[in-house]
Amino acid sequence: MNPKQIFITKVKQKGGWVNAHAHLDRAYTITKQNFKYVYYSIKQKWYLVDDMKRLATIDDIYMRMEKALEYFLIQGTQALCTFIDVDEIIEDRALKAAEKLRNNYGASIHLRFANQVLKGVLDKTAKYWFDKSIEFVDIMGGLPSKDHGKEEEHLDVVLVTAKNHKKYVHVHVDQFNINDERETEQLAKKTIEYGMQGKVAAIHSISLAAHDKIYRDKTYKLIKKADLMVISCPIAWIDHKRSERLTPSHNSITPVDEMIPKGIVVAFGTDNICDIYKPFSDGNLWLELRVMLEACHYYDIDNLVKIATENGLKVLGIK
């Protein structure tokens, strides 16, 4: 028996991989000059990428996106969702590069685009660029922790916009692996409030694993009630720094092994590729899946195939 070969064969039979979360516009931006930033915190990196974005031309962005997409096509990827930065620094250059990518590759792969709101959505300038991206993107992106202290308002803006424009929603939540975070719970409640069941996905949900079992089980029930989907990006978060905080013993990864038996739809993605967030991550989908199954001690081949294929299609709204 060769479990890997069985898995790969079944993925091919399902039409190929689905990468439900990436940032292709930032791929391959690691340099000798910016490599020093890899040790900075994620919140610092939200600003440190500005220099790269400020200097990037439409052609620069397109070439990066195309290079990454070609690699995913080589791996046999049938669908992919990439977030693209849209703010006062990069303005609409990533949007234009993404439009060119869609025109050139839309017949070869199911492409979905989401707006990355690294400046939030509440600031007047940030909201202007958020609004500029609405018509182009397929999925409304969210990052509530960027509007710290006003996370609910952030979600209100994203969900109202998505509902009005009949779009799916993907929100970065619970990224810091601490039991102070309850963003997945908050997103599930907001999903129900706006009647968006089955159209919203939580990206990461790392901090769920840092909570006690009573809270986790309670949140899983809420996720199920909200028909909230989840996207895990294993390599992006397995490297989370250790701390002296006392929590249940766990790996820094979406608790996929607990979610799947609860009937929660889980997909997966590569997140960042060769940039200051993940300098060594190259977008290898099998390696991404391997990290997930090992870190979660989860070896159900049929469900792993679903994570890599049909669940990804559900998360992206592809029939």
Side-chain angles (χ1 to χ4, degrees), residues 117 119-123 126-127 130 141 147 153-155 157-158:
V117 289
K119 307 300 180 185
V121 297
L122 301 181
D123 171 81
K127 183 63 164 54
F130 173 79
D147 285 316
E153 293 176 50
H154 180 109
L155 290 175
V157 169
V158 172

Side-chain angles (χ1 to χ4, degrees), residues 115-153:
N115 46 357
Q116 174 69 347
V117 289
L118 268 185
K119 307 300 180 185
V121 297
L122 301 181
D123 171 81
K124 183 178 179 181
T125 303
K127 183 63 164 54
Y128 170 81
W129 287 106
F130 173 79
D131 289 342
K132 289 277 284 185
S133 67
I134 292 171
E135 292 304 320
F136 176 77
V137 299
D138 309 285
I139 295 167
M140 304 308 304
L143 181 63
S145 55
K146 186 60 187 68
D147 285 316
H148 182 66
K150 297 181 178 180
E151 290 87 351
E152 283 208 25
E153 293 176 50

Side-chain angles (χ1 to χ4, degrees), residues 55-101:
L55 297 172
T57 66
I58 295 170
D59 286 342
D60 291 334
I61 301 164
Y62 176 79
M63 285 189 289
R64 294 197 295 260
M65 297 181 81
E66 184 180 55
K67 180 180 178 180
L69 186 60
E70 286 282 359
Y71 180 51
F72 288 119
L73 287 171
I74 289 170
Q75 295 179 73
T77 305
Q78 62 173 309
L80 177 145
C81 176
T82 178
F83 273 64
I84 48 176
D85 288 318
V86 184
D87 53 51
E88 68 267 28
I89 305 298
I90 202 160
E91 298 178 326
D92 64 351
R93 296 193 297 282
L95 281 173
K96 290 179 177 177
E99 184 175 27
K100 183 178 178 181
L101 194 76

